[in-house]
Amino acid sequence: MANILIAYASMSGNTEEIADHIMSVLEDSGHSITLEEMDELNPQDLLDYDAVLLGSYTWGDGDLPYEVEEFYEEMEEVDLNGLPAASFGSGDTSYPKFCEAVNLFQSRLEASGAFICQEGFKIEMALNVKEDYERCTSFTRLFEGKMTEKLQLAT
């Protein structure tokens, strides 16, 4: 089974809740999960894992939260050469750039050489209803499938 990092930034707890749900789905499949707040990590740490998921809320009009800006900028210096990855986050559709942090992290992962397993998961505010949890579970299962394929090809 894979050793997976889920790193996130959460102010209201919404993105943390998504991270927790993703973790539980992956743990149910037997994967080893490390759940960390992004501001506690160095982008170099991503290389210690078989796969990574990066989650963040979006601040203001499409901005990254202050606490992840340094991590995001330093990612430019890390070669993620084929590392299976995806991004996720919560946002508010009343802003013009809904969940833009998800797009920014996905683009940075791609630019750093990561293999994007799955388009980023975006949710309005929080996992509120059964359908939200189902969408998050589906996102995680698709990520897991692509990650597993990629890791098997690499061996």
Side-chain angles (χ1 to χ4, degrees), residues 18-98:
I18 298 167
D20 287 342
H21 186 70
I22 291 170
M23 179 176 72
S24 70
V25 172
L26 292 170
E27 282 179 337
D28 285 349
S29 295
H31 299 288
S32 171
I33 309 300
T34 301
L35 188 65
E36 279 293 339
E37 290 196 43
M38 208 177 292
D39 61 358
E40 301 290 317
L41 293 170
N42 179 308
Q44 206 63 40
D45 297 337
L46 301 180
L47 299 172
D48 297 337
Y49 296 89
D50 298 324
V52 297
L53 289 137
L54 301 181
S56 179
Y57 64 98
T58 300
W59 184 250
D61 187 23
D63 298 321
L64 288 173
Y66 170 76
E67 66 267 29
V68 302
E69 286 176 349
E70 188 177 332
F71 181 89
Y72 177 82
E73 289 166 15
E74 291 175 358
M75 278 180 70
E76 276 188 322
E77 301 160 22
V78 179
D79 181 4
L80 298 177
N81 187 26
L83 181 72
S87 59
F88 65 92
S90 59
D92 184 340
T93 53
S94 68
Y95 287 93
K97 293 185 179 176
F98 173 66

Side-chain angles (χ1 to χ4, degrees), residues 6-22 35 38 54-58 65 88-91 99 101-102 121 123 125-127 136:
I6 302 172
Y8 69 93
S10 188
M11 184 173 67
S12 61
N14 294 340
T15 305
E16 182 177 10
E17 183 182 8
I18 298 167
D20 287 342
H21 186 70
I22 291 170
L35 188 65
M38 208 177 292
L54 301 181
S56 179
Y57 64 98
T58 300
F88 65 92
S90 59
C99 284
V102 175
F121 177 75
I123 194 85
M125 304 306 258
L127 298 172
C136 189

Side-chain angles (χ1 to χ4, degrees), residues 77-146:
E77 301 160 22
V78 179
D79 181 4
L80 298 177
N81 187 26
L83 181 72
S87 59
F88 65 92
S90 59
D92 184 340
T93 53
S94 68
Y95 287 93
K97 293 185 179 176
F98 173 66
C99 284
E100 185 63 19
V102 175
N103 301 334
L104 291 168
F105 272 110
Q106 181 170 311
S107 294
R108 182 54 50 94
L109 284 163
E110 282 179 304
S112 299
F115 170 76
I116 303 301
C117 293
Q118 163 83 11
E119 282 299 307
F121 177 75
K122 301 174 183 180
I123 194 85
E124 170 78 17
M125 304 306 258
L127 298 172
N128 287 318
V129 294
K130 182 180 175 196
E131 288 78 15
D132 294 342
Y133 284 95
E134 289 170 351
R135 279 184 51 231
C136 189
T137 299
S138 293
F139 163 82
T140 306
R141 293 271 181 244
L142 286 168
F143 169 82
E144 180 184 22
K146 293 285 188 188

